Amino acid sequence: MTTAEVRGTRDPGPRRAPLTATVARLLPRLVPRAGALAAAAVLAVLAAGRDRVPASALEGLLTVLLLAATLQLRRAARRAPGGTAWRWFARATTAVAAGCAVAFADAVLHDATGHPLPVPVASVVGASVLVGGAFAYAGLTRWNQSRSYLRDPGDHLNGLAAVLAGTGAGNVLLASAAPELFTAWPLWRVEGWLLGCTVLVVLLGAAVTVAAAGRLLRDARLWVLAAAAAGLLAATLLVGRDGPAGDPLLHVCWVAGFVLLAASSLHERPIEPVAISPQTPAVAVVVLTLVSVVVLAVDGHASAAAGILPVVFTGLSVLLVSTRVVWLVRELEDLAASRLQARTDDLTGVANRRALVARLEALAVDGLGAGLLLVDLDRFKEVNDRYGHVEGDDLLRVITRALEAAAPAGSLLARLGGDEFALVVPHGTERGGSAVGRGLVDAVVAVVRADARPLGVGVSVGVAALAPGTLDPDDLLRRADAAMWVAKAAGGGLSVFDAEADAAARDRAALLADLRALLAGEVRDGVPGGAALTEQLVLFYQPQLELASGGVVGVEALVRWRHPERGLLPPVAFLDLVEEHGLMDHLTAFLLHRAVGETRGWSAGGRPLRVSVNLSASSLARPGLLAVVDRALAAGALEPGRLVLEVTETTLMADPALALAVTRDLTARGVQLSIDDYGTGYSSLAYLTDLPASELKLDRAFTLRVLGEPRTADIVAATVGLAHRLGLRVVAEGVEDGATLEVLARLGVDETQGYLHARPMPPAEFEGWLGRRPAAAAAGARLG
């Protein structure tokens, strides 16, 4: 046994030395940062001693640094969030590196042969710097787009127009403040210098704008770029008397800016998109237009040194701005169209649910009241099924026009989907809404009657209203929906929201939620379980006594729900919810196992009894019912003949063929079948002869009247005679007094059940009651 096993721990295996692990973890982070710091230090040394460094060495080193920055930016483009922005920054460094490479080649050739390259090196380097600046601007705009929900395809037009307008303004200012430069410098150098300054101003402004608009004021990378642009601008204004490539210090500053940009990409941050107002491009257009107008107005009073250049630059800027305005107009048209489409129903052209909710929210914000009518077309699906969806859509359009005509002025009609509409009436009340609702019903009825086809379409309208200051859109929708469903349950027409009925409906909804939670526990072998289910769902037992001997021969299992908050609930309080919402399968399986198990306990104690369990229509139609019954009998070790499954006539007639097949399979196993509430349904005598039943249970409606109504007594006597001829026993339920018991005995009833003998009791109480009763010597032991 190892030491780790002795100590009760698992051997973690060989461990990496702490120092090695730390170095391995930090090395990928430290090396690029160390390289960036070293590059910055080298650039600082070069800036300080640029006059003592050979031109070839300076340009070569700058080229190497730019290529390294390019590699890092491309790496960031592959790995970092917002990779498109880093890809454009990499293109910017590539462009500047190309200019440096040309300068390096020129310097090497000059040192070797004494002759420079046969190209205007300064112009090439200046152009590369300007292209790099343009690419950097494109990277900034992509950075903004990757961090906001705004996608502005006209950013490049804004940037180019800004450069042109700024250059035009620079010409005017320079012609007024320093006209001698136009004579001291060649025109291309003046314009190149002004272009360089303007590009840097645009870069600086773009960096600040992106930081503010994209909520990136704490992002150090943007401020590094802004600081680099500001430093380059200062160097260009103060040092660059020969243009962007005229002084080594200026060239070093450009390279330093891009190296710092590459270093900033080492710090990756997750992207958190934010919404940016779509008015931002429009504001930029307005600003550029004003600058161009001012330049054109001032140019006429400035020195003529600049000539026509300010007009050319500002004219081009105005052209680009005009193009951008056209784009903006189209974008606004598309936006308006998309907003209209987003709030309009495609089929009918009226408002949709989104527009309805927006109108209700606006009324609520204004502190106003409103009435809401929900209109639902009844049996409209039959139109689609019979005549097709095209005809159904045409009918919906016609009904929509009729509803619009019947709606009061200032209201909003919306189609919520399918065949459901809603009408918002500002300042509406329930009384006024009722009048409007009757008009809507009449309008739909008129349309349906006017149609040449035999349509059975009806309409249900729910009306609700909330007073000023209390308007809650969700609550108003819920109230109108509740009222509409009341109208639909009544067969159509108009219904106004009823607070008491709504409270009852919400109470039932809460009860249903509790039922779902109770019956949704773990299921083992097809039987729901869990402590809550076992504690809350209990069976009460009501005994069945044989008239001939007075002995107890059976019990009927009746479910009760011991709700933790509502107390003990009878079946009528929740069984309809179980049936409506498809929960009966779980409940039946649980109750069968419980009833069989508890009955087996009494049988083992010397009191063999039958146990009757009710089956609903859904349980009888369940494909797995036979397996559930088999598992319950096997788990409880009860003889099949001691289990009686009670079904009503209505349940049997829901699907006679299926009922006959299932009941025959059940009785083939030895399980008994009882026809419950006999005499109140509508089953035929012919069908009764086919059923493999063992028992008829007379409904309490006959039992309660048999003493005072001779015709009822005759019906009971005939029923008993028929049952006995078919080999069935007859159990009368609802027996409450001795006189009724005597009449039933005289009429030949076999067994009775009711309050005269005992009320339904929980298992422990029933067991005590059973111990005080005499056993039926023969009848109690027989199964039939």
Side-chain angles (χ1 to χ4, degrees), residues 544 553-555 609-611 642 644 672 695 729 751 783-784:
Q544 298 171 339
V553 292
V555 290
L609 301 174
R610 300 188 311 265
V611 59
R642 297 198 181 280
V644 181
Q672 297 192 51
E695 174 184 286
R729 67 175 176 270
E751 300 171 6
L783 303 180

Side-chain angles (χ1 to χ4, degrees), residues 115-183:
H115 300 286
L117 286 175
V119 294
V121 176
S123 299
V124 172
V125 174
S128 70
V129 170
L130 291 177
V131 172
F135 285 163
Y137 176 81
L140 271 174
T141 58
R142 298 316 190 278
W143 202 346
N144 172 55
Q145 291 179 5
S146 67
R147 284 158 171 78
S148 72
Y149 295 116
L150 180 65
R151 299 293 184 266
D152 184 16
D155 275 331
H156 64 283
L157 286 181
N158 289 341
L160 185 55
V163 170
L164 291 173
T167 305
N171 274 279
V172 172
L173 293 175
L174 194 61
S176 300
E180 65 278 3
L181 287 180
F182 286 94
T183 58

Side-chain angles (χ1 to χ4, degrees), residues 348-588:
T348 61
V350 298
N352 60 11
R353 180 181 290 273
R354 186 180 291 107
L356 173 78
V357 173
R359 182 66 175 275
L360 290 175
E361 290 175 347
L363 292 173
V365 171
D366 294 339
L368 304 177
L372 180 64
L373 293 84
L374 287 187
V375 182
D376 188 82
L377 304 179
D378 301 329
R379 300 176 298 280
F380 185 80
K381 183 178 181 297
E382 298 175 8
V383 177
N384 287 330
D385 294 342
R386 184 173 180 181
Y387 299 103
H389 286 277
V390 174
E391 297 292 332
D393 292 346
D394 290 340
L395 180 60
L396 277 178
R397 295 187 188 96
V398 174
I399 290 176
T400 302
R401 301 289 83 81
L403 293 174
E404 283 184 312
S411 60
L412 175 68
L413 178 66
R415 178 172 176 247
L416 303 184
D419 55 7
E420 188 175 6
F421 296 83
L423 182 70
V424 179
V425 183
H427 313 288
T429 61
E430 290 183 351
R431 178 178 297 179
S434 298
V436 174
R438 285 190 289 272
L440 298 181
V441 172
D442 294 340
V444 175
V445 171
V447 167
V448 174
R449 286 178 178 175
D451 197 285
R453 293 158 296 193
L455 304 176
V457 177
V459 61
S460 300
V461 180
V463 180
L466 287 175
T470 64
L471 179 57
D472 181 350
D474 293 335
D475 187 35
L476 186 60
L477 281 166
R478 184 190 61 77
R479 291 180 177 220
D481 188 66
M484 186 269 291
W485 280 106
V486 171
K488 185 174 285 290
L494 180 75
S495 176
V496 180
F497 174 76
D498 187 329
E500 293 184 1
D502 180 64
R506 297 176 73 177
D507 183 72
R508 283 177 62 80
L511 193 64
L512 175 61
D514 293 342
L515 266 175
R516 290 187 187 279
L518 187 66
L519 294 174
E522 62 175 302
V523 178
R524 293 183 179 178
D525 296 329
V527 183
L533 186 64
T534 304
E535 294 174 2
Q536 295 184 34
L537 282 183
V538 295
L539 284 177
F540 278 41
Y541 294 93
Q542 189 172 34
Q544 298 171 339
L545 277 67
E546 187 180 52
L547 273 169
S549 65
V552 182
V553 292
V555 290
E556 180 178 3
L558 302 168
V559 65
R560 300 289 188 270
W561 183 7
R562 188 173 285 117
H563 195 279
E565 298 175 359
R566 302 169 187 253
L568 191 65
L569 300 180
V572 69
F574 62 91
L575 279 187
D576 59 335
L577 288 174
V578 175
E579 182 74 30
E580 290 173 11
H581 297 277
L583 302 174
M584 188 60 76
D585 290 348
H586 290 73
L587 181 62
T588 300

